[in-house]
Each structure stands twice: as structure tokens, then as C-alpha cells.
Amino acid sequence: MTKISTGKFSLEDLENVQITINNIVGAIEIKAEEEGIETGPTPKPGVSGLRDWDYKLLSRYQPIYTPVCDQCCYCTYGKCDLGGNKEGACGIDLAAQQSREFLLRVITGAAAHSAHGRHLLHHLIGLHGRDHPIDVGPSNLFAPNTQLVTGIVPRTLGDLEEVVAYVEEQLMQLLSTIHAGQEGSALDFESKALHGGMLDHVGMEVSDIAQISCLGMPKSDPEAPLAEIGMGCIDSTKPVLLVIGHNVAGVTYIMDYMEEQGLNDKIEFAGLCCTAIDMTRYKTDDRSLPRAKVIGSMAKELKMIRSAAPDVIVVDEQCVRPDVLDEAKKLFIPVITTNEKIMYGLPNRSNDSADQIIDDLSSGKEPGALILDFDLLGEVAPRLAMKMAPIRDAKGIKSLPSDEELKKLTSACVQCGACELVCPNNLPIMNAMVAAAEGDITLFEHLHDHCIACGRCDPVCPKDIPILNVIEKAAQKVIREEKGKIRAGRGQISDPEIREEGVNLVMGTTPGIVAMVGCSNYPEGTKDLYTVANEMLQRNYIVVMSGCSAMDLGMYKDEEGQTLYEKYPAKFLAGNLINVGSCVSNSHITGTAIKVAAIFAQRNITGNFEEIADYIMNRIGAVGVAWGAYSQKAAAIGTGCNRLGIPVIVGPHGSKYRRALIGKPYNEEDWKVYDARNGEEMPIPASPEFLLTTAETMEELMPMIAKNCIRPSDNNMGRMIKLTHYIELSQKYLGHLPEDWYKFVRTETDLPLAKREELLKILEQEHGWQIDWKKKKIISGPTMKLDVSAQPTNVKRLCKEGVC
């Protein structure tokens, strides 16, 4: 391509420049060239662009399927029985069908995030223009996922349009492979799923950097403000305006209207799910503004509605219960939908006056309205809440039973067990019913936190007991005390923080990054999050939170009454606790790993996915934990981490994704890397030993996290620190030494200092230290790529210097 200078040029100079209206194809390459940025081999990879890398991963981490059924019902040839190595009418086998279903989950989740990003981007461009600069804080690397995958270095909102177009085109290609008569290979479906997960992180990144740049959200701010969280922080004596969803675009207009009209102290404004997190991030550059309150995750939706506290409910998109309108109608709560993805069959009132809409909804003429005009929404929602509160008070609307009704309902229980059979967590509801009938409600108080409010118990009760309402009524004292603190999402990790901490992560002296992400479908309530995070923080891991997990973590306090957000600082340093933000902020977690490669290791990330993923997998000790994963979005987020070589552990409900990627530690041929200095093939221990797996209990989870932060690049100090935590956590939570601890020892100095003599004796007596146990070479530049000579010049130079 010819570079255009500012001097004179002839028409021949334009030969390789293609120009279209409002777009200059090649502009990004010109910018990259002018800034001295070399583009890697895979900018904007197609579906097969990174297939070779995927196959390297899948050869070590083989797919394991646990189908719910062995039938396929995708087309009118079927249904087809695929059990017993049979094929369907189209020729597909069970493995391919299971991997096809997982691909569908991944691209569904990626589409949700990316469509969110498209909506936000169009909206913000309409307000601020395409030339509005991207500003995420003190960083030169604004969009690491975007730059890595597409080769585009975005500087303005307009630059992000090309990124979104790429993601949409690739998702369309992936979706087409779900159709009958397309792909037939399970491994290629898996490769496509990894591609979809990668796209998800690009779509999420577009969403968050756009809103951070335009909505006054924290910009890499470790001092982001704290916000109130919990059902107990809601003052129901005021009109209550509740918002639910993940897209804060329309909600900001409500907040602006309330501020302009002086209504902040007159209306209780609260949110559920990631919209709630982003409400606390909005305009945090003005610390004088009151913060919106966070109720919690999706597990609190039905509980909050049935409390009858909301006077108006506003929903946008994602993780909103489909029965919100039906539940709200029972309690005379008007519902306003604001997004085309959720419309509930309501009339579109976007062109009507605010007065007309408020009159129709407050009178009960309509149960709700679709309002796509955000200016109109901003006025209608708070005005309607102010009008509805006295009307609903006068009607004496309530949902939860009285004390007398509670005793009558619990006494009616016949102990049939139907409720416990359908409960996802098999909660001991019958025992709580018996105890409550005798006047003891403490068992129900315990169930409140464990209950995810799915509502499955209500319809199966032969006595028509509204079980969820009974739980919430009995737990009123607990709910009133449910008050915590969450730190507003700080956004991206800044370049200076990466420079300060990157070496410790690669060498292992910071034991690892534990990213606790995902949904609220926990097996044993939310306190497990606190236990895990607190344990890892005390051990100097960097703990990163996002989304529902970030909210639920803020509900627990120590003996001094502090939450972990109040107790631990939020810088990207060992022993710090960071909330990056909402679901779309998950992109900053993978972005951090990419930035370590770019800033600390000086790797070129532009369109250079495979080299960076290889670097992350072998050098950066990071583990994702989605303990309550339930959604397609969680599957997409985890799969995007997997393509970068980051392992993800899901809770026991995650087994319902029906697929895992697990290595075989006993197969030594699978656990080899090349030394980037000389190309020599070297054995490594099995860590990470999986890319996606399930842990059944918190006790199993703890040592699993520590083990899978171990990396081949750990120096002696780093390996000693990581091995210490692995051994101690196994002994603390499982009661014994891990069976494979010795496989991670390369020299005596790798051994935990406090146990060195004891462990040396075990090595000698049980593992033949003096006979055939050989000291292993420490690999300073491990790589899965054979062709070391093909690596960029700066990488070869750094390897010689011992930095790679």
C-alpha cells in the first residue's frame, strides 16, 4: 500500500487506496503504519482463521459431553436417536450434535452482548457524533480485545462501527452453521464455538468503552465510589422506581430528569442486574450526585416484585424474567419496556404525550407501555412513580402473607416433597414448613439467601401454597438487615498499573488473577463468593469481580461491619479487590491479560491473536470462576477466555451446559512446550489442566484455583509461592496433600520454605528423588508454537535477554 504524504502526489499514488462514501478502506492500516504499529497475521480472522490454534487447544483439552438426551429434534427428518453410536437422518452423530448445541449457546450469548453494544454505539454516536474520542483513562491501549482480534486501533466512536460490523458478520456466519446439513465435525463445531467466544469479548469491549467514554463512568479509577446494595437499603415509604436489565442507555435519561426536577430525594431509585451496576457508574465524575441503589442480581427479581415495593418497573434487555409483566399486573405495578428485545406485547406509546401515557397506566387502562423515545421515558417513569405510590397505598396492595396467613399456609403443607424435587438446589423446604408451623422461622430465614427465586416450587404445590412468598415473608427481618456496599465498576486496568504489576504475574511472585464472574445460580447461596474472595485476597491473589458476582459479593461484612470492597483497595496489585463493572466489563479482564503481553512483554498485539494467546496461556496465571453461571452469556464469556488459554471453573449447575474441555494429566505427550530461546521441546506439569470444568463444592474449588494459576514461566520464587498456596488450600479444605504436588517441583527452591524438609523426605521416599527424580529446567520462554524463528524480531531479542 502506498503511504500518502502531505506533499504533492500523482494519481498513481492512489492506485491502492479504495474510497467509499463515509468510509476509507485502509485508513486503519495507514494509521497503524504512521504510528509504527505492525499488523499481525490474522486481522479480522474468519471462521477458519484461527482454526489451527483451536486444534492445538483441543488436542490437549478434549471436549467431554454429558447430554441430557441423545436425540436430535432440529428438523422434520427427526426426531432422531443418536445414542449407541447411531447417526441421525442427516448423518450427524451425538458428539457433533452436542457441540452444535454448545455453539448455539455461545453465539446466542455473544449476540446479546454485541447487540447491546450496537444499540449503545448508535445511540451515543447520535448524541456525540462519530468523532467523539474514546477515553478509558490513563491508557494508550484503549481496546486490547478489539486491536488483538480485528487489527483496528480505534480512537473515536466512529472507529467502533467497523468493529461491530465485523462481529455481526462473523456471528451470522457462525449461526448459519447451526442449520441442518452444515458442519458435521464435533471438533470444528468446537473451533467455531471458540471463535464465537472470542467475538463476544470484542462486542463487550465495544459496549463498555463506548459508555465509559460518553457517560461519565469511572475511567480506570481505583477510587470509584461505593454504592448501597441490598433489599434492605430500599426506603419503601417513598415512591419506588425499579429498573431491571443490562442496557443503561434509557435509564440515564430518567436519572437526568430526576436531577433536573429535584426528585432525587423524593423517589427511591433502584436497580436489578447489570443496569443497576451501570447506574452507579453514571456520572461518577460528579461525586456530589446521589448514587442509585443496587438491589442485586436476577435472583432478586421475583422477590423484589412480589414484595409489592415497586410502584413502577422499567425494563430494558437481558436477564429480565419473561413473567415480569404478569407478576406486576397482579400488584398493579405498571411496566415500561424500553428496548425492542423485550416488548411484552405492550402498545408502542413512543409518539404519545407523557400526560396521556401516565393517565392510561395510572388508571389501569393499560398494564404498561413500550417507550422507545428516551426523552419521553425520562419524564414518564419518575412522574408515573410519584402518581402511582399514593394510588397503590390507598388500595392497600400487598403480596406477602400476614403473620396469621403465614401460620395457616405452613400448617397446610403435607410434606409431599414436590417443591424440593423441582428446586434447582434441593432446598429443605419441607423442614422449614414444619418448623414455621410451630413458630420457628429461622430455617426460612436461612433459605432466603440460598433461594434463587426461580419460582418453580409454586406451581407444583398440591395445596397451592405460594412457597416463594412464604420464604420471603418469614425472612422479613433478614431482608431488612440486607444492606451492603459495592464499589462502582472502575472500568479498564490502566497501562501504568500493568507496567507495575506485569512482571510479578509473569514470574509468578503475584500468585495469580482470580476472576469471579457470572450469574447468581449458586449451589449454596451467595456467601461462598465471600469465602473464596476473602481467602484468595488474604493469599495475595488479585481478585477481579464483575456483574452479578460483583453485586452479591457486596452483601457480606466481616466482624467489624466492613464489606470486602471497603476493606481492600481496588488497584491492580497483589491482594487487591477490583470490580471492573457490569457484564460487558468482562472484556477488561481478558483485556488485562492482553495488555500484560503488550506492555510488559512488548508483544505486538495488532491482529496477532495466536501469539498473544500462546503467551497468556503459558505465562499469566489467571483463572475464571463462574460459580453461579446459568446463562448463554456466561457460556460465551467463558469460551472467549478459553480461546486465550485462560481456564474457567463453573459451579455444579454449570454441568448443565453439558460440555467441558479437560486435559489428561497422565498423558505426558500432551504436556510439552518449546523453549522460545532455542526451540527445544520441554515437558511441563498439567497446569492449566482444563479450559472449562465443573467444581462440585467450594472445598474442591479452592485448591483447584491455586493449582491452575501455576504456569511454566514461573521463576523459583513464583513457583514456591504458588505451590505453597496449592498445598495449604488442599490441606485446609480437603484435609490432605494434593496427590500431584510433586509434579510441579523443578528444583529444591520450588518447594514451600516452611515445609521444605518434610516435602524433600516425601520426594526421596515416595518419588525417588535420589534415584530417578530429575531436576527439571525452568523455561523462561515457554510456547506452544514450534516455529520460533518466525516470531517477530523484538520477541527474539527479548528472549535472548530473558524477558520473553
Side-chain angles (χ1 to χ4, degrees):
M1 182 181 68
T2 302
K3 181 176 179 180
I4 302 175
S5 69
T6 55
K8 294 181 180 180
F9 56 88
S10 65
L11 290 176
E12 285 78 13
D13 292 321
L14 296 177
E15 180 180 356
N16 294 320
V17 179
Q18 178 185 351
I19 300 177
T20 60
I21 301 299
N22 291 327
N23 184 43
I24 302 178
V25 178
I28 296 300
E29 287 81 3
I30 291 173
K31 181 184 291 185
E33 185 178 296
E34 290 176 346
E35 296 181 1
I37 299 174
E38 176 187 354
T39 300
T42 56
K44 291 186 180 178
V47 173
S48 64
L50 293 166
R51 184 171 180 255
D52 289 347
W53 170 249
D54 296 338
Y55 266 55
K56 285 179 185 175
L57 293 177
L58 296 168
S59 66
R60 179 186 287 180
Y61 304 103
Q62 298 173 12
I64 305 295
Y65 303 112
T66 54
V68 171
C69 75
D70 53 10
Q71 294 181 335
C72 175
C73 309
Y74 270 42
C75 72
T76 60
Y77 283 159
K79 56 184 181 184
C80 294
D81 180 6
L82 305 181
N85 296 320
K86 293 191 286 290
E87 293 182 349
C90 70
I92 200 166
D93 61 20
L94 186 57
Q97 171 62 9
Q98 289 300 305
S99 55
R100 174 165 69 168
E101 289 194 339
F102 188 77
L103 167 62
L104 182 58
R105 292 186 197 99
V106 168
I107 59 178
T108 301
H113 284 139
S114 301
H116 175 185
R118 167 67 78 179
H119 178 273
L120 261 178
L121 183 60
H122 275 180
H123 171 66
L124 295 173
I125 285 176
L127 290 177
H128 302 280
R130 287 181 171 80
D131 293 332
H132 186 83
I134 293 171
D135 180 8
V136 296
S139 290
N140 293 317
L141 192 51
F142 296 155
N145 278 283
T146 296
Q147 190 169 336
L148 177 69
V149 174
T150 68
I152 295 172
V153 186
R155 302 297 184 196
T156 67
L157 292 183
D159 293 339
L160 296 174
E161 289 187 300
E162 183 180 353
V163 179
V164 175
Y166 162 73
V167 171
E168 290 172 338
E169 188 268 340
Q170 289 299 297
L171 287 176
M172 180 172 64
Q173 297 292 343
L174 290 174
L175 180 60
S176 73
T177 67
I178 302 295
H179 194 278
Q182 295 271 43
E183 183 61 75
S185 163
L187 282 183
D188 273 308
F189 272 127
E190 292 292 346
S191 173
K192 291 173 171 66
L194 291 169
H195 192 62
M198 177 193 73
L199 296 171
D200 184 45
H201 285 254
V202 177
M204 289 190 293
E205 187 171 79
V206 168
S207 300
D208 212 35
I209 64 177
Q211 64 181 9
I212 287 171
S213 300
C214 298
L215 299 180
M217 294 184 174
K219 296 175 172 60
S220 301
D221 183 5
E223 301 297 329
L226 294 166
E228 292 182 85
I229 183 170
M231 294 178 70
C233 71
I234 304 303
D235 182 358
S236 56
T237 63
K238 298 179 182 179
V240 177
L241 175 53
L242 175 67
V243 300
I244 309 174
H246 278 66
N247 189 333
V248 80
V251 177
T252 62
Y253 285 72
I254 300 174
M255 297 176 75
D256 287 344
Y257 182 87
M258 289 174 59
E259 176 69 18
E260 292 163 5
Q261 300 299 316
L263 299 176
N264 284 325
D265 295 328
K266 297 177 182 177
I267 296 176
E268 193 74 341
F269 188 50
L272 281 155
C273 298
C274 284
T275 287
I277 291 183
D278 286 341
M279 286 159 51
T280 68
R281 302 169 76 194
Y282 181 54
K283 289 186 177 178
T284 51
D285 45 5
D286 183 355
R287 296 295 171 93
S288 65
L289 289 176
R291 295 294 99 208
K293 293 179 179 178
V294 180
I295 294 170
S297 63
M298 188 177 180
K300 299 290 175 65
E301 281 186 26
L302 198 53
K303 296 179 180 184
M304 189 62 189
I305 295 171
R306 290 196 182 180
S307 74
D311 293 300
V312 174
I313 296 174
V314 177
V315 304
D316 48 81
E317 64 170 301
Q318 298 174 45
C319 296
V320 182
R321 290 181 62 95
D323 61 355
V324 164
L325 180 62
D326 294 335
E327 291 285 343
K329 281 194 290 189
K330 299 172 187 175
L331 300 169
F332 196 38
I333 306 172
V335 175
I336 300 174
T337 63
T338 65
N339 192 295
E340 292 171 339
K341 300 177 189 73
I342 300 176
M343 296 189 281
Y344 288 149
L346 294 170
N348 188 348
R349 306 295 300 272
S350 303
N351 297 317
D352 295 342
S353 71
D355 289 339
Q356 286 177 314
I357 299 169
I358 292 169
D359 287 345
D360 288 348
L361 270 58
S362 62
S363 67
K365 181 179 178 180
E366 295 286 352
L370 167 65
I371 302 178
L372 300 175
D373 181 325
F374 289 166
D375 285 308
L376 181 62
L377 168 69
E379 178 182 356
V380 168
R383 284 183 56 195
L384 181 60
M386 296 282 286
K387 188 168 184 178
M388 287 301 302
I391 293 174
R392 296 181 70 249
D393 285 345
K395 289 178 178 288
I397 292 173
K398 70 178 186 69
S399 173
L400 301 182
S402 64
D403 292 340
E404 295 76 16
E405 290 169 332
L406 177 65
K407 186 169 182 61
K408 187 180 296 185
L409 289 169
T410 55
S411 298
C413 175
V414 295
Q415 302 290 296
C416 67
C419 53
E420 294 187 9
L421 285 173
V422 299
C423 177
N425 289 327
N426 302 116
L427 297 180
I429 299 170
M430 291 188 294
N431 289 344
M433 286 283 186
V434 171
E438 296 173 356
D440 179 8
I441 60 172
T442 56
L443 295 184
F444 272 133
E445 290 178 338
H446 177 73
L447 291 189
H448 165 70
D449 180 60
H450 290 67
C451 171
I452 61 171
C454 63
R456 293 177 64 180
C457 52
D458 285 2
V460 301
C461 179
K463 292 296 185 178
D464 295 324
I465 300 171
I467 297 171
L468 178 59
N469 291 12
V470 167
I471 294 173
E472 295 307 291
K473 170 61 182 178
Q476 286 298 289
K477 179 177 178 292
V478 173
I479 292 170
R480 284 193 296 271
E481 297 171 355
E482 191 178 83
K483 300 176 183 179
K485 296 284 187 181
I486 177 176
R487 189 170 297 282
R490 55 157 286 167
Q492 194 182 90
I493 307 302
S494 68
D495 291 6
E497 290 173 286
I498 298 293
R499 292 189 186 97
E500 184 174 357
E501 188 64 18
V503 63
N504 299 321
L505 282 168
V506 174
M507 299 304 177
T509 48
T510 293
I513 303 172
V514 182
M516 301 183 69
V517 305
C519 321
S520 54
N521 194 14
Y522 312 115
E524 292 288 343
T526 57
K527 194 173 182 181
D528 281 355
L529 289 178
Y530 176 91
T531 304
V532 174
N534 192 47
E535 180 76 62
M536 293 301 161
L537 286 165
Q538 290 178 351
R539 292 177 176 276
N540 235 23
Y541 288 80
I542 300 173
V543 176
V544 185
M545 311 296 300
S546 69
C548 288
S549 293
M551 290 185 275
D552 289 328
L553 183 66
M555 290 310 307
Y556 286 92
K557 302 172 184 176
D558 62 15
E559 296 79 9
E560 299 174 355
Q562 282 190 315
T563 65
L564 292 180
Y565 289 114
E566 296 169 287
K567 187 175 180 180
Y568 289 95
K571 233 185 145 181
F572 187 69
L573 290 172
N576 277 214
L577 172 64
I578 298 165
N579 175 23
V580 290
S582 57
C583 260
V584 293
S585 305
N586 279 297
S587 56
H588 303 316
I589 299 175
T590 48
T592 298
I594 296 166
K595 291 179 80 167
V596 170
I599 295 170
F600 165 69
Q602 300 180 40
R603 296 295 178 97
N604 172 34
I605 69 167
T606 309
N608 193 24
F609 190 93
E610 183 174 350
E611 182 181 331
I612 300 306
D614 180 76
Y615 182 94
I616 291 169
M617 182 176 199
N618 288 295
R619 293 169 175 81
I620 301 177
V623 174
V625 179
W627 197 235
Y630 101 95
S631 70
Q632 294 95 332
K633 293 189 300 175
I637 293 167
T639 305
C641 291
N642 293 163
R643 201 180 213 188
L644 282 169
I646 300 172
V648 175
I649 308 167
V650 295
H653 289 301
S655 63
K656 297 169 190 173
Y657 286 130
R658 307 194 290 279
R659 176 269 206 178
L661 294 175
I662 300 176
K664 298 177 180 178
Y666 52 84
N667 190 351
E668 294 183 0
E669 289 302 311
D670 291 344
W671 305 99
K672 292 182 179 180
V673 295
Y674 301 99
D675 190 328
R677 297 182 183 217
N678 54 24
E680 181 184 357
E681 190 176 54
M682 301 293 296
I684 60 169
S687 183
E689 65 178 345
F690 55 81
L691 286 182
L692 180 67
T693 195
T694 301
E696 289 299 320
T697 65
M698 186 191 68
E699 289 76 16
E700 180 186 359
L701 172 67
M702 291 291 201
M704 190 182 289
I705 292 172
K707 175 182 177 178
N708 287 282
C709 282
I710 295 173
R711 292 294 180 272
S713 64
D714 299 336
N715 64 14
N716 290 129
M717 178 66 73
R719 181 61 59 86
M720 181 185 72
I721 291 169
K722 292 183 179 184
L723 196 54
T724 297
H725 294 313
Y726 178 35
I727 290 172
E728 288 182 356
L729 287 168
S730 181
Q731 291 179 318
K732 180 176 180 179
Y733 289 97
L734 298 178
H736 57 75
L737 274 172
E739 294 178 355
D740 58 353
W741 67 269
Y742 66 93
K743 294 181 180 179
F744 299 96
V745 180
R746 300 161 301 186
T747 68
E748 289 184 27
T749 50
D750 284 349
L751 291 167
L753 193 59
K755 295 178 179 288
R756 186 165 293 173
E757 293 301 319
E758 173 191 347
L759 295 176
L760 278 172
K761 288 181 181 178
I762 296 174
L763 282 172
E764 181 179 345
Q765 295 170 4
E766 299 182 18
H767 301 290
W769 167 279
Q770 294 179 338
I771 301 172
D772 61 4
W773 195 91
K774 297 179 181 178
K775 296 183 180 181
K776 301 170 188 175
K777 177 181 175 183
I778 297 175
I779 312 169
S780 59
T783 176
M784 291 176 69
K785 298 175 67 176
L786 177 60
D787 189 5
V788 179
S789 63
Q791 295 187 26
T793 304
N794 68 315
V795 174
K796 289 184 282 186
R797 174 182 60 79
L798 290 167
C799 284
K800 290 179 181 178
E801 296 171 1
V803 178
C804 67

